[in-house]
Amino acid sequence: MPPLSSYRPTEPPDSPVNDSDSDVDLDLQELDPDTSSHVQASRLLGHSYSSEQRVPRIALRNIRMGGLRRSGNRGRGYGELGLNRDGNGDAVGLLEDDAQGQRYSDGSGNAGDEAPLLNEYAPRPQRRPSAGERLQGLAHIGSSLRLPSFMSSGTGTNRQDDDGIVDNKEDDPSTSRIIAVGSPQPTRYPPNLVSNAKYTPFTFLPITLYNEFSFFFNMYFLLVALSQAIPVLRIGYLSTYIAPLAFVLAITMGKEAYDDIERRRRDNEANSEEYIVLDFGEPGYRGTALRPSRKLMSSSLRSKDRQSLARRDRLSDIQEEEEQAEGQGRGQPSSLVQETKKKSRDLKVGDVLKLSKGQRVPADVVILKCSTPEVAQAQIRVSENTELEPTLVDAFEVDADQGSSSTGKGKEPESDGSHVSEGASSGETFIRTDQLDGETDWKLRLASVLTQTLPVEEFVRIRVTGGKPDKKVNEFVGKVEVMATKNDALNSRSDESSISESRRSAPLSIDNTAWANTVIASQATTMAVIVYTGPQTRSALSTSLSRSKTGLLEYEINSLTKILCALTLALSVVLVALEGFGNTEGNIWYVKIMRFLVLFSTIVPISLRVNLDLGKSVYSWFIQRDPGIPGAVVRTSTIPEDLGRIEYLLSDKTGTLTQNEMEMKKIHVGTVSYANEAMDEVVAYIRHGFAGTTGESVLVTPSSSYNTTAGVTATRTRREIGSRVRDVVLALALCHNVTPTVEEENGQTITSYQASSPDEIAIVRWTESVGLRLAYRDRKSMILESTESGKVVVRVQILDIFPFTSDGKRMGIIVQFQERLKPSGGSDNGEMWFYQKGADTVMGSIVAANDWLDEETANMAREGLRTLVVGRKKLSYEQYRDFSTSYQEASLAISGRDAKMQRVIAEFLEHDLELLGVTGVEDKLQRDVKPSLELLRNAGIKIWMLTGDKVETARCVAVSSKLVARGQYIYTVAKLKHKDNAQDHLDFLRSKTDSCLLIDGESLTLYLTHFGVDFISVAVRLPTVIACRCSPTQKADIAKLIKEFTKKRVCCIGDGGNDVSMIQAADVGVGIVGKEGRQASLAADFSIEQFCHLTKLLVWHGRNSYKRSAKLAQFVIHRGLIIAVCQTMYSIAIKFEPEGLYKDWLLVGYATVYTAAPVLSLVLDKDVDENLANLYPELYKELTSGRSLSYRTFFVWVFVSIYQGGMIQGLSQILTEVDGPRMVAVSYTVLVLNELLMVAIEITTWHPVMIMCIIGTFLFYVGSMPFLGGYYDLDFLLTWGFIWRVLAIGSISLIPPYAGKLIRRAMKPPSYRKVQGI
């Protein structure tokens, strides 16, 4: 190749020099370094030139569009141009960046990149520049211009966007990170650890102690215990007051520690997941490897044999020449590559991961290379022997070059080798992001063409620049550079002037990344470099920190203890006042008050916390060992009672209500509908329709006559239906973006499909099930086989594809059918058809007039099916040529390009389509979702569905899951950008409170920002709210708003990483163990395996936990109050002296061994059995009002305690003595027996443990009496006088409360008694 002249533009091979719109339309002055150097200097100093001052720019549009005119490219946007070649060259700087919509009319930008273009390889005289390098140099003039200034090494301070707005945030160089691939980083980045722990070893004690003493009664007891250090206030043993408090704190903190250790253990499982990492050693150490190394061969080296078969197009010729030149100039590879295994926690920024299908991405990565598995490539090679017809676009290109409009002779038929190379190393992979953003569609991700074609050994020359860590999961701006050597890549501080001229760079966007907790969905092996780790990943930044949760019952009991404390203080003051405030015997009045406060401290029972915490542990044990909810885990054991108080349930959709598995359920072809068993008829029609070809080499086209098998007489109607069925199945088998892949499992070859939409995969699977299999597909062609015979029945050339967009809600494809297996020579022989499928809302106006479409789509929508309308249109050669010319002109437009392209499609294609049919796809629901939602709704719980998925998808799932009742009006608010008419929507909803609200994320943001309180006040009154396109932060904000506005308990349930923030913001967070990730279940308070388990968790366990704890709390308060009343009676009798009635062991024993077990056994009580609880979910509804523990029930227990305490102590003093061991013996014995019998009275359903506790405690007390000689008169205990006094006083104490309970139950029976009687 001749050397490069300084002022002569490069002409690519086959370039038509006379074509005014060709790739070589360059101004010679553009390449002059002298004329452009002053521009470079001025740009670097931040100066800008007016358009008059600028020197002429290179017509970059021509470079961009050069590839668009080549065969097979016409239907694609700029971003796809380089992707149909094995080695796309380095023009990706232009091509990929255009995919983001950043297009420049004149290619203006930093002219400094132009100078190295001329003497690009001057420092290396031993190597001649290749044409590929020259073309790549031109490409980078454009590519580097579109990067934000924070990624360039220049000194510019401000980045100016297209609208002229200056953004100062992104330009700070300290916020970007430069990563040398495969090498240790000079900057220290956080470790790649997942952590859901609430505490560290240093923060555990301070935080737990603060949480404990923030409760009033713990602080109260701390003060009481500390008062015993003052001699004048001391009453009895110091340990009597210190030990219970220490015991309570030990139990509570022990539970918190256990919960957190369990969280850490589960985090450790995730952090220990192993990944394959590429280890780049020095090439000189090849013989000294410690372990057997597996040298990786890049796809560009592997595909040499394939490339020899392929017809090279323009860029691939240049690319190969460049690779050969590079190989000659470099004596050895830059590194020796070995595969090592690393745990997730040991991964570091800069490590290169080798990921395969089904693997979770452990950190935020930039994709460097994707290669298809060998088994898939082998199958592709099989297809190489078959020739394809020349594409129509080739014919157009020849026409354009010759300046004629005549057709009939195309180019030489090309072999399939070109598309083989495409498939082998196209740099594509699909990822699933439902764990990150809740979207069900797979996302296409691309390796930068700069790195895709680079051998793996040369990865150490790559340098990746990225912005600061950010929580925006749909945005990323960066660049990738391939340096001359590894040392250049490590030298991040080199400036523009000192960088080697051979550096190549390309922009990076969101399309080149995979964030943590996404899952690789393709068969391709994906190599990616880690950019962000641990707490800096998008997933972690979108997640709020864990917080300690406290149950509503705790707060209610806290307020009750304040009342009790006020009662204690009032009682102390009254007793001192009755005696008079005068000083007596050295005791000052306020000292007496303090001593009374200590004496009455039992009114605020310290044992309340112990009993409640032990109860919570029992409830957790029940939940985890319930066979009805296998796999349930309680991660936060402090809030099981809140499960019984839920009023709002916020649920995710994907993976929670649905399985994210699509299934084609129904197809309607105008006169007849097929579903379930009727699909067998479709199979028969397809078998006949594709079996009637007259010869082995003849293929089926839409114009082929529908044949019936010999000997079968078919009516005309049946033939028509058969023809329609064949046409719609053929349309569905062709109109999609699905690619088949082949993999080997257990020695068997299995075909799987990959596409961005699971709906499309479901439809293609259905066409296979009825007899038409997608056998092969690349960017230019598709082959369909009969599943019965295995023969090729349809072969088409893909002329244009119009992909699905959320705005357009439809996708289309133009194909040219091949009539024979071997082409006949002409490019205009095959029929051309435009197929389109889309939502009924947009397709209704595109298809020809009909009388059944609206009715059928409405019927399917009512069943919760996702409907797609399918249509087609035959195109003549002239029609397609006119369309193609107009479409290309529109695609060259600088402003409003997308709108102009869409107008051309609408004008030429999207009208009067033949309506073929309607399909109904079902998003499979999780097991028993419908009855579960109905039961929860009957239990008084309002259910909201918050999803990151599309509006249509959410609507279908809401209907199919019966979240929205049949016939219920769904009011949709979408794409609300201005707040002018926002209030109108709210006014409508206020007047129609029985409707369901469906709102998208954009509108939700507007409402939450400007009308937060108004919106939530309306929304909480609606039975159901569905929010779509929600970000993780929005989900959490909604949960917080409902909590703050309603003061009700909110439960959030989800299964993905995008649900973690919502789960942690809720009062009760429930995580479902998902197929792909356990992030939600790890961060949740309760983890279950199925959504249907939630009903049992709430309606059964939640209800029981709350009712038991409410009864337990009131009983413990009663136990403390009754002894305080006895103390009060005693103090009055001994002339208001603050002396203790029961001292030391009697006081400690009463709250522990003598009453604790029977009282605690109340946690086993239940008022109804599980079947009744599920049969009558209304029983759950009454709990939400909090009647089980309210001020009314509390004061009822206070009066019972005062009555019983007064009777026990008063009668004991009257019947024995005012002060003495006999009175203490009678009083204390009656007190213990009273508590045991009160427990027996309160029990609804007896349990063997309860009987054992009551009888065992009684026997223990009787057995301990001989050892209480220090407090009792033991001789008196053996007399009848002691026994009759105990029986008499006990009867007077117990009979009236029990009688009152019986009368109340007869007059106004509780709900559970009513259902038991049915």
Side-chain angles (χ1 to χ4, degrees), residues 362-619:
D364 288 359
V365 299
V366 166
I367 297 170
L368 300 177
K369 194 182 193 79
C370 302
S371 54
T372 51
E374 292 297 330
V375 65
Q377 292 175 13
Q379 194 227 9
I380 292 171
R381 289 194 193 101
V382 173
S383 305
E384 292 177 8
N385 302 324
T386 315
E387 293 183 2
L388 289 175
E389 286 190 38
T391 59
L392 198 64
V393 185
D394 284 339
F396 287 159
E397 193 168 337
V398 173
D399 290 344
D401 291 344
Q402 294 174 350
S404 75
S405 59
S406 64
T407 62
K409 291 185 179 179
K411 288 186 177 179
E412 286 297 315
E414 53 181 324
S415 77
D416 256 358
S418 58
H419 68 253
V420 172
S421 293
E422 293 166 18
S425 56
S426 59
E428 296 180 355
T429 188
F430 282 98
I431 61 170
R432 286 202 301 271
T433 62
D434 50 330
Q435 294 290 307
L436 185 69
D437 56 18
E439 292 192 24
T440 54
D441 292 357
W442 291 7
K443 307 292 189 302
L444 177 65
R445 292 293 185 257
L446 307 167
S448 171
V449 184
L450 204 59
T451 57
Q452 174 67 22
T453 56
L454 200 67
V456 178
E457 298 82 3
E458 305 302 322
F459 277 6
V460 289
R461 293 165 44 213
I462 299 174
R463 195 165 78 184
V464 174
T465 307
K468 61 183 178 182
D470 193 349
K471 68 162 114 179
K472 295 174 183 170
V473 294
N474 294 318
E475 291 180 22
F476 178 73
V477 182
K479 74 174 175 182
V480 60
E481 300 164 285
V482 177
M483 316 301 284
T485 65
K486 178 180 179 179
N487 290 335
D488 285 347
L490 287 168
N491 182 17
S492 61
R493 296 188 175 276
S494 55
D495 58 18
E496 225 29 75
S497 59
S498 65
I499 287 179
S500 167
E501 286 83 352
S502 62
R503 181 188 73 173
R504 297 175 288 160
S505 64
L508 294 174
S509 70
I510 185 69
D511 294 332
N512 310 115
T513 63
W515 300 141
N517 293 313
T518 57
V519 178
I520 302 294
S522 292
Q523 300 296 334
T525 298
T526 305
M527 294 182 193
V529 60
I530 295 176
V531 184
Y532 306 106
T533 51
Q536 294 184 344
T537 59
R538 297 297 203 266
S539 173
L541 290 170
S542 300
T543 305
S544 54
L545 293 171
S546 299
R547 63 184 183 91
S548 297
K549 295 184 180 179
T550 307
L552 182 60
L553 191 77
E554 304 272 352
Y555 291 114
E556 290 172 343
I557 291 173
N558 202 41
S559 61
L560 295 181
T561 52
K562 290 176 184 175
I563 297 173
L564 291 173
C565 188
L567 188 65
T568 306
L569 182 63
L571 196 56
S572 304
V573 171
V574 167
L575 289 176
V576 174
L578 287 174
E579 186 191 8
F581 289 104
N583 296 344
T584 55
E585 301 176 11
N587 271 351
I588 309 171
W589 63 271
Y590 55 80
V591 174
K592 277 192 167 185
I593 290 176
M594 291 296 291
R595 282 175 65 86
F596 272 124
L597 279 173
V598 174
L599 278 173
F600 295 144
S601 63
T602 55
I603 290 179
V604 186
I606 186 68
S607 58
L608 180 58
R609 286 305 303 276
V610 181
N611 281 281
L612 287 177
D613 285 347
L614 288 173
K616 293 175 197 292
S617 300
V618 173
Y619 309 146

Side-chain angles (χ1 to χ4, degrees), residues 213-451:
F213 289 117
S214 62
F215 280 100
F216 174 78
F217 50 81
N218 280 350
M219 182 57 74
Y220 174 78
F221 272 105
L222 180 65
L223 294 174
V224 168
L226 291 176
S227 72
Q228 295 304 288
I230 303 170
V232 72
L233 299 178
R234 184 174 298 168
I235 300 171
Y237 298 139
L238 184 64
S239 58
T240 307
Y241 298 91
I242 297 288
L245 182 64
F247 183 62
V248 168
L249 293 179
I251 283 187
T252 309
M253 291 168 70
K255 272 173 68 277
E256 281 292 307
Y258 175 77
D259 287 346
D260 214 50
I261 288 167
E262 283 295 296
R263 281 191 205 96
R264 286 181 178 277
R265 185 180 61 77
R266 288 184 290 268
D267 288 343
N268 194 42
E269 289 175 11
N271 292 327
S272 299
E273 199 174 340
E274 288 196 333
Y275 290 88
I276 295 175
V277 178
L278 302 190
D279 186 14
F280 298 90
E282 293 297 328
Y285 297 148
R286 187 178 297 274
T288 60
L290 296 176
R291 64 174 70 85
S293 64
R294 203 174 131 208
K295 192 162 182 293
L296 297 175
M297 201 192 320
S298 66
S299 61
S300 57
L301 296 176
R302 270 202 313 268
S303 60
K304 291 287 182 190
D305 57 331
R306 287 198 308 278
Q307 287 182 353
S308 64
L309 296 172
R311 168 194 145 317
R312 279 85 166 174
D313 59 5
R314 297 162 190 170
L315 276 181
S316 62
D317 275 339
I318 298 167
Q319 180 64 36
E320 183 182 318
E321 183 185 343
E322 179 189 15
E323 285 179 8
Q324 289 171 353
E326 282 185 357
Q328 294 161 6
R330 189 170 289 108
Q332 62 178 5
S334 300
S335 63
L336 175 66
V337 183
Q338 292 176 311
E339 289 183 4
T340 58
K341 284 195 173 182
K342 274 191 183 180
K343 293 182 177 177
S344 177
R345 69 161 74 89
D346 300 325
L347 298 175
K348 294 181 174 59
V349 171
D351 282 352
V352 177
L353 297 173
K354 183 179 177 185
L355 300 166
S356 54
K357 182 180 180 181
Q359 274 195 294
R360 181 183 70 89
V361 180
D364 288 359
V365 299
V366 166
I367 297 170
L368 300 177
K369 194 182 193 79
C370 302
S371 54
T372 51
E374 292 297 330
V375 65
Q377 292 175 13
Q379 194 227 9
I380 292 171
R381 289 194 193 101
V382 173
S383 305
E384 292 177 8
N385 302 324
T386 315
E387 293 183 2
L388 289 175
E389 286 190 38
T391 59
L392 198 64
V393 185
D394 284 339
F396 287 159
E397 193 168 337
V398 173
D399 290 344
D401 291 344
Q402 294 174 350
S404 75
S405 59
S406 64
T407 62
K409 291 185 179 179
K411 288 186 177 179
E412 286 297 315
E414 53 181 324
S415 77
D416 256 358
S418 58
H419 68 253
V420 172
S421 293
E422 293 166 18
S425 56
S426 59
E428 296 180 355
T429 188
F430 282 98
I431 61 170
R432 286 202 301 271
T433 62
D434 50 330
Q435 294 290 307
L436 185 69
D437 56 18
E439 292 192 24
T440 54
D441 292 357
W442 291 7
K443 307 292 189 302
L444 177 65
R445 292 293 185 257
L446 307 167
S448 171
V449 184
L450 204 59
T451 57

